[in-house]
Amino acid sequence: MNLDFAKRWIARASANRLIVLLFLFTAGFIDVAIFFLAQEDHKERVAQVESLLQRTVDSLGVEFDNELNIIERTLSGIGEVVAARGGLPPEADLALHRLTVRRHALTPSVRSILIVRPDGSQAAHSLQQPPPATNLADRNYFWAQAETFDTGLFIEPYLASSLDGSEISAFSMRINSDGGQFLGVAAASIAGSQLDDNLALQNLPKGYRIQVTLADGTGLACFPVQANCRRENWLMAPLFRDHVPNVGRALLQDATLFDEPIGFAAYRVSGRYPLVVSASAEKTAVMAVWHRNLVAYFFTALISNAALLYMSLYAARQFAARREALRALEEANESLERRVSERTAELQHYQGHLEDMVHARTLELAQARDDAEAASRAKSALLANMTHELRTPLHQISGLVLILQRRIEDEKQKSSLEKIGGAARRLQTLLENILELARVESGRVVIESKPFAPAMLLTDAVNRWQAEAARKGLHIEVATSPDLPASVCGDFVRIAEVIDCLTSNAIKFTSQGTITLRETVLEHKSRNCLMRFEVADTGIGIAAEYQQAVFGQFTQVDDSMTRKFGGAGVGLALSRRLVELMSGEIGFDSEPAMGSVFWFTLWLPMYCCSGEADDSVAG
């Protein structure tokens, strides 16, 4: 009797030990798996934050370099005109005013353009004729150019406008004669809030900070906007003290660049201008989601362990019950132990198989997620690099062709250079249209409403396309309605962009005859008017069966049109999207061999002010 009791006690102790070991092994496996899952989630979150910061500083660095390059070339062009005229007259000059207005129209991001005489008086201003009488000799952007021959593009990040006292950033270039004599200063200004708004367009989540700083530590723009951004010098901040002197582009962890909390950061030093673009993310803010997930991981492990404990206790009770039954049914002991052993083995097999299935599915989902993220990063990198990689060579080709045309006398070589220049311009137009269409599709285009003179729209378009039409032997003309309002409010740049697309197509598909640009007023309602803009040609026309596909993206009427006339089917698709963004309608009327009339209509508010102001703003 005592021997049987001892055997049962030993058997019960072995079973309990097995249950405890199984519980510890399974619970440890689940806890380790959840730990590694949380760790991978942390790595993924850090990688997302770093990728976003790096893309942001790279994109903004290219954007600011391009913007400053445009301003520099615009101001240099004004300086060349002034030098060719032999200097600045002592009195207000209407021709200089028109020069600044035209250059202002070509650089819509600029608030104003002005020309300053060597004594600091203003010779011309794009927003006012005659120019303001304010003397600017005490401005940093003036005396920096006056005292140094080769300052280049000077940037003054913070000053008050002489017109209305608003906060602006100024950019200036020295005007020299051919002999190096100081003739004056060409300057442009940008509203400080506009630079901050450009940073806001990055749409970074809460907890992120972007700042553009000059090389001397002066702040140029920041988002979120802070009072000390432009007024404080950041030369002693960690960015300039510890990082910029060592490397020009870096991605940092557990670091601070200015006065923000410790977190993730990235910066990029411009190779052409004294600019440093930086972005940072507060660690507690960007990792808040992961911390919430960490709580979920903890409770998942806790619930799993509790379930395993319950199963272990349940199994222990089952073993005890079976042993109690074995004590009463000794003759069935061998059969019962065999059944229990088989059932246990079967449960362990199912458990291992289920864990393998869950693990395999987890790996598949992780691989699919990684592939999608890699594709997204590749697409973002391609869009970020297209502007720099394609625009810069095209600008270089156009510049070199222009230089060679001035130096080469042979007419045959000049003709070849003109063809090269035309091809570069067409390729640049195609690139700009594709990038603009991408910005429209992603919702990054903002329609503005500013006063302009509608009569100047078609006149400026004819001036831009007169030479191209003349090369094909075409006549281009303007027809306007006599009841055209003097000034309306709208997005002058986007409307001109649509007119340019339609005019370019008209010239491309017309071999002889006339291109007519027309604008009329269809209806007046309160202080608004419904305006219709038309571009009519005498070209090949469009057959009825192809007309439905005209405004599609990357489509032509047929493949023969692409081979004969070129193009990628982007201009009309971009025009349609821009007109729709301005709440307008676009369409066309066409007959084969008779020509086409492309039109679009817009409701535009009429703007009441002096004629001089309207004309200067439309420029």
Side-chain angles (χ1 to χ4, degrees):
M1 190 70 176
N2 292 333
L3 181 60
D4 292 339
F5 176 79
K7 290 181 178 179
R8 288 195 299 271
W9 186 87
I10 293 173
R12 189 187 307 96
S14 300
N16 290 338
R17 188 181 299 112
L18 177 62
I19 292 173
V20 171
L21 291 176
L22 182 62
F23 166 75
L24 293 176
F25 173 78
T26 307
F29 176 80
I30 293 177
D31 292 343
V32 170
I34 292 177
F35 170 77
F36 281 111
L37 182 62
Q39 193 175 44
E40 286 299 320
D41 189 13
H42 182 273
K43 292 180 180 178
E44 178 186 348
R45 182 61 182 168
V46 170
Q48 291 176 352
V49 173
E50 290 181 341
S51 175
L52 179 58
L53 290 174
Q54 192 66 70
R55 291 199 310 271
T56 299
V57 298
D58 288 343
S59 174
L60 284 174
V62 172
E63 181 178 336
F64 270 85
D65 282 351
N66 291 337
E67 184 66 27
L68 293 181
N69 183 39
I70 292 173
I71 294 175
E72 182 177 5
R73 289 189 292 107
T74 299
L75 298 181
S76 296
I78 293 176
E80 291 175 1
V81 173
V82 172
R85 290 167 55 100
L88 297 171
E91 302 296 334
D93 190 332
L94 184 59
L96 287 177
H97 170 68
R98 291 176 176 172
L99 172 64
T100 59
V101 170
R102 287 194 299 269
R103 296 306 173 98
H104 190 179
L106 295 176
T107 52
S109 61
V110 171
R111 181 176 184 266
S112 64
I113 295 178
L114 62 152
I115 304 174
V116 185
R117 298 186 183 94
D119 61 356
S121 61
Q122 300 184 47
H125 199 291
S126 63
L127 298 181
Q128 188 170 332
Q129 174 62 15
T134 307
N135 190 286
L136 305 177
D138 59 338
R139 299 282 184 162
N140 291 341
Y141 65 83
F142 175 82
W143 57 258
Q145 300 290 358
E147 292 183 353
T148 306
F149 179 80
D150 56 352
T151 301
L153 181 66
F154 181 82
I155 305 173
E156 185 171 0
Y158 173 76
L159 71 160
S161 170
S162 60
L163 290 179
D164 55 12
S166 60
E167 181 178 322
I168 62 173
S169 296
F171 308 83
S172 66
M173 290 288 293
R174 179 186 174 102
I175 303 175
N176 291 321
S177 66
D178 293 338
Q181 180 185 0
F182 177 52
L183 300 180
V185 173
S189 67
I190 296 179
S193 59
Q194 180 176 341
L195 294 175
D196 296 334
D197 292 342
N198 290 342
L199 303 185
L201 292 177
Q202 297 297 315
N203 293 322
L204 293 183
K206 184 178 180 181
Y208 286 77
R209 171 177 174 176
I210 311 174
Q211 184 158 333
V212 180
T213 315
L214 299 183
D216 63 358
T218 307
L220 183 61
C222 62
F223 183 82
V225 179
Q226 298 180 359
N228 63 342
C229 174
R230 297 183 183 85
R231 293 178 172 87
E232 184 171 336
N233 189 285
W234 302 97
L235 195 58
M236 298 307 297
L239 173 63
F240 291 95
R241 187 184 66 240
D242 303 329
H243 304 300
V244 170
N246 298 323
V247 61
R249 180 176 181 267
L251 191 63
L252 308 172
Q253 290 188 13
D254 295 326
T256 179
L257 299 182
F258 297 101
D259 56 358
E260 73 278 12
I262 291 179
F264 304 93
Y267 69 89
R268 177 182 184 271
V269 179
S270 173
R272 184 170 183 178
Y273 299 101
L275 282 181
V276 180
V277 180
S278 61
S280 60
E282 184 179 345
K283 190 171 185 178
T284 56
V286 298
M287 299 303 292
V289 174
W290 181 80
H291 285 104
R292 290 195 296 269
N293 293 341
L294 191 61
V295 175
Y297 293 142
F298 171 77
F299 281 106
T300 300
L302 186 64
I303 294 173
S304 300
N305 292 337
L308 284 173
L309 179 61
Y310 173 78
M311 292 173 60
S312 301
L313 294 175
Y314 177 76
R317 287 195 298 268
Q318 289 296 316
F319 277 116
R322 284 184 174 90
R323 289 190 180 89
E324 290 296 328
L326 285 174
R327 193 171 50 178
L329 302 170
E330 292 181 356
E331 59 275 5
N333 182 47
E334 183 178 352
S335 176
L336 183 59
E337 287 182 355
R338 184 172 59 252
R339 290 170 56 193
V340 170
S341 178
E342 291 174 356
R343 183 61 176 169
T344 302
E346 183 180 356
L347 288 174
Q348 291 177 345
H349 171 72
Y350 286 154
Q351 180 182 5
H353 181 62
L354 180 60
E355 291 175 353
D356 292 340
M357 292 177 61
V358 171
H359 182 64
R361 183 57 178 166
T362 302
L363 292 178
E364 292 176 2
L365 293 175
Q367 182 63 39
R369 178 198 63 206
D370 294 341
D371 292 343
E373 290 178 352
S376 176
R377 288 193 294 269
K379 177 182 176 182
S380 299
L382 176 62
L383 290 177
N385 291 329
M386 277 181 64
T387 301
H388 178 71
E389 297 296 334
L390 296 180
R391 283 180 176 173
T392 301
L394 287 178
H395 288 318
Q396 292 174 346
I397 292 173
S398 300
L400 291 174
V401 167
L402 181 60
I403 293 173
L404 290 175
Q405 284 178 333
R406 294 176 178 176
R407 295 180 178 178
I408 293 176
E409 301 296 335
D410 184 39
E411 294 298 329
K412 188 174 182 179
Q413 292 179 347
K414 281 189 174 181
S415 176
S416 298
L417 288 174
E418 181 62 28
K419 293 178 181 178
I420 295 174
R425 289 191 297 273
R426 288 191 295 273
L427 183 57
Q428 184 174 356
T429 300
L430 174 61
L431 173 62
E432 294 291 346
N433 286 342
I434 291 175
L435 295 179
E436 182 71 6
L437 183 59
R439 286 193 292 269
V440 171
E441 293 290 348
S442 63
R444 291 183 294 169
V445 173
V446 178
I447 300 301
E448 298 181 347
S449 180
K450 296 181 179 179
F452 67 91
M456 297 295 294
L457 270 173
L458 301 189
T459 301
D460 288 348
V462 169
N463 292 336
R464 288 192 296 272
W465 294 99
Q466 185 72 50
E468 185 70 20
R471 278 192 290 269
K472 294 189 65 175
L474 303 175
H475 177 66
I476 185 168
E477 61 183 14
V478 174
T480 58
S481 174
D483 59 345
L484 202 67
S487 181
V488 296
C489 288
D491 197 323
F492 177 85
V493 174
R494 302 302 178 193
I495 298 174
E497 190 172 347
V498 175
I499 293 174
D500 282 345
C501 287
L502 300 182
T503 306
S504 173
N505 274 4
I507 295 175
K508 182 191 302 182
F509 295 105
T510 303
S511 58
Q512 60 181 0
T514 303
I515 308 296
T516 303
L517 278 64
R518 182 181 295 109
E519 58 182 343
T520 57
V521 178
L522 301 181
E523 184 180 349
H524 287 277
K525 186 178 293 185
S526 184
R527 295 295 302 168
N528 301 318
C529 62
L530 178 62
M531 297 193 63
R532 177 183 173 107
F533 302 88
E534 297 180 359
V535 177
D537 62 64
T538 57
I540 60 175
I542 304 172
E545 60 268 24
Y546 297 120
Q547 292 185 2
Q548 290 184 348
V550 165
F551 290 105
Q553 294 184 14
F554 307 106
T555 59
Q556 294 279 21
V557 170
D558 57 38
D559 293 339
S560 64
M561 294 299 170
T562 303
R563 292 191 296 270
K564 182 176 181 181
F565 297 98
V570 177
L572 291 179
L574 176 60
S575 300
R576 176 177 64 85
R577 292 304 306 272
L578 288 177
V579 171
E580 290 175 351
L581 283 176
M582 293 184 285
S583 302
E585 296 182 2
I586 188 170
F588 69 96
D589 303 304
S590 180
E591 293 184 13
M594 298 296 292
S596 304
V597 177
F598 280 82
W599 55 266
F600 64 95
T601 60
L602 296 171
W603 279 102
L604 300 175
M606 289 183 289
Y607 183 77
C608 293
C609 66
S610 64
E612 283 291 332
D614 285 346
D615 185 62
S616 67
V617 173

